[in-house]
Amino acid sequence: MTAEDRASQHAEGPPTRAGFGRVLVAVYGILALAATGRASYELATKFSDAPLAYLLSLLAAVVYILATVALWRGGTWRGVAWVSCSVELVGVLAVGVASLADSDAFPTSTVWSSFGSGYGYIPLVLPFVGLWWLWHTRPRAAEEGASA
């Protein structure tokens, strides 16, 4: 690795898919597959039963797919990862509260219902971990320039 490569890596921050990031990407990928399968089945077979719930499951699937790809790619995709994890956090908190406060609005569960209880609360914990990892692997050059 040349000095220029090291300087470039330092400016971009550590890759989001390295080390612990591999586990994080794998968990996001598994959740993306699970949510996509669930949403596809529900939309194809019983959409009229609970359209809001099934569309929210589809939204969760899209968010998980975007987060998986963005965390894997890193670099210029970091912004997409930040937005995906943030939307996921807001979504799971909002749907979690709404599903507990008004269970009639959610006659069937979604990926984010009851804060992701159907998925072992992984949907509640994962965005916090994802955002922490993005912060942990953030580019350091901007901080050093600001403090100089």
Side-chain angles (χ1 to χ4, degrees), residues 53-77:
Y54 301 145
L55 288 171
L56 285 171
S57 287
L58 179 63
L59 173 65
V62 169
V63 168
Y64 290 131
I65 291 167
L66 280 173
T68 302
V69 171
L71 287 167
W72 176 256
R73 302 273 321 245
T76 58
W77 282 76

Side-chain angles (χ1 to χ4, degrees), residues 42-59:
E42 291 170 339
L43 289 171
T45 62
K46 47 190 178 177
F47 178 72
S48 61
D49 295 347
L52 175 62
Y54 301 145
L55 288 171
L56 285 171
S57 287
L58 179 63
L59 173 65

Side-chain angles (χ1 to χ4, degrees), residues 73 106 125 137 143:
R73 302 273 321 245
F106 295 90
V125 175
T137 60
E143 292 176 24

Side-chain angles (χ1 to χ4, degrees), residues 21-120:
R22 289 182 186 200
V23 174
L24 187 61
V25 169
V27 172
Y28 264 106
I30 291 167
L31 207 52
L33 287 172
T36 301
R38 176 185 185 150
S40 299
Y41 172 76
E42 291 170 339
L43 289 171
T45 62
K46 47 190 178 177
F47 178 72
S48 61
D49 295 347
L52 175 62
Y54 301 145
L55 288 171
L56 285 171
S57 287
L58 179 63
L59 173 65
V62 169
V63 168
Y64 290 131
I65 291 167
L66 280 173
T68 302
V69 171
L71 287 167
W72 176 256
R73 302 273 321 245
T76 58
W77 282 76
R78 288 181 68 83
V80 175
W82 276 103
V83 170
S84 299
C85 291
S86 298
V87 167
E88 177 192 3
L89 178 60
V90 169
V92 74
L93 292 175
V95 172
V97 168
S99 65
L100 294 177
D102 185 11
S103 58
D104 292 339
F106 295 90
T108 62
S109 64
T110 72
V111 175
W112 291 337
S113 293
S114 302
F115 304 104
S117 64
Y119 289 83

